[in-house]
């Protein structure tokens, strides 16, 4: 079969989007597990793909939604309290201010979006420096 009408320029003109969720397989798996994205049916695969694309195009949006363990409402970034010992214990500001929190460990305030962005930027810069360091110290082939 002869194919005609192939354009001479087939380069992709879209910008390359960087996202920490696609750096490693483990990062992508963590995103999918943390948000319950599934690919076992066509319907779930469509929804999960749409949400992954949302995270790709909105890198500053929170990747994981945290839910209050008392009232079960979503906690906005920087508006909740987290247990330093229990990995899945978070409560919202309103439940914390009511004072009816019966938890044996210390609760700390969630970092704000600005603090989280600064930490992410710092981590990305550190990864770039590590890669450059490995490249510069890699043994050179003898000629």
């Amino acid at each position: 079969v002869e194919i005609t009408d192939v354009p001479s320029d087939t380069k992709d003109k879209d910008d390359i989007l960087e996202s920490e969720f696609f750096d490693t397989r483990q990062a992508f798996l963590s995103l999918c597990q943390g948000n319950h994205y599934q690919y076992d049916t066509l319907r779930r695969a469509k929804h999960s793909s749409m949400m992954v694309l949302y995270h790709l195009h909105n890198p500053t949006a929170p990747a994981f939604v945290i839910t209050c363990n008392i009232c079960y409402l979503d906690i906005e970034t920087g508006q909740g309290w987290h247990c330093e010992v229990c990995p899945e214990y978070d409560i919202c500001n309103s439940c914390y201010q009511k004072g009816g929190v019966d938890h044996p460990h210390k609760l700390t305030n969630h970092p704000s979006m600005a603090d989280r962005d600064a930490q992410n930027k710092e981590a990305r810069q550190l990864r770039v420096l590590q890669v450059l360091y490995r490249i510069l110290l890699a043994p050179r082939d003898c000629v």
Side-chain angles (χ1 to χ4, degrees):
V1 174
E2 186 178 334
I3 300 174
T4 58
D5 299 335
V6 177
S8 60
D9 182 21
T10 58
K11 291 184 180 179
D12 188 9
K13 293 175 178 67
D14 292 331
D15 294 332
I16 295 176
L17 300 175
E18 296 289 332
S19 175
E20 61 190 22
F21 298 119
F22 303 105
D23 287 345
T24 63
R25 293 177 64 193
Q26 186 61 42
F28 182 71
L29 179 63
S30 296
L31 174 71
C32 292
Q33 284 179 334
N35 290 300
H36 306 289
Y37 298 154
Q38 298 178 15
Y39 293 87
D40 55 342
T41 66
L42 181 60
R43 180 178 182 200
R44 287 180 178 167
K46 285 180 179 180
H47 173 76
S48 298
S49 298
M50 177 187 65
M51 294 309 297
V52 166
L53 288 171
Y54 170 80
H55 288 296
L56 179 63
H57 290 279
N58 298 290
T60 58
F64 305 101
V65 177
I66 301 169
T67 307
C68 178
N69 286 68
I70 297 173
C71 67
Y72 303 106
L73 295 175
D74 291 344
I75 300 174
E76 293 182 27
T77 306
Q79 302 296 314
W81 296 82
H82 177 71
C83 178
E84 295 178 351
V85 178
C86 305
E88 297 293 322
Y89 191 82
D90 298 279
I91 61 170
C92 63
N93 274 343
S94 60
C95 290
Y96 183 81
Q97 291 172 353
K98 289 178 185 173
V101 179
D102 184 26
H103 190 70
H105 307 122
K106 181 182 177 187
L107 299 175
T108 57
N109 199 355
H110 280 278
S112 69
M113 188 70 112
D115 293 341
R116 205 173 271 172
D117 286 345
Q119 290 171 353
N120 287 342
K121 183 177 180 182
E122 224 173 272
R124 270 189 238 112
Q125 289 173 344
L126 181 62
R127 281 196 310 261
V128 167
L129 288 175
Q130 288 171 341
V131 169
L132 289 174
Y133 184 73
R134 274 188 245 136
I135 290 171
L136 292 173
L137 293 181
R140 304 272 185 231
D141 291 336
C142 294
V143 178

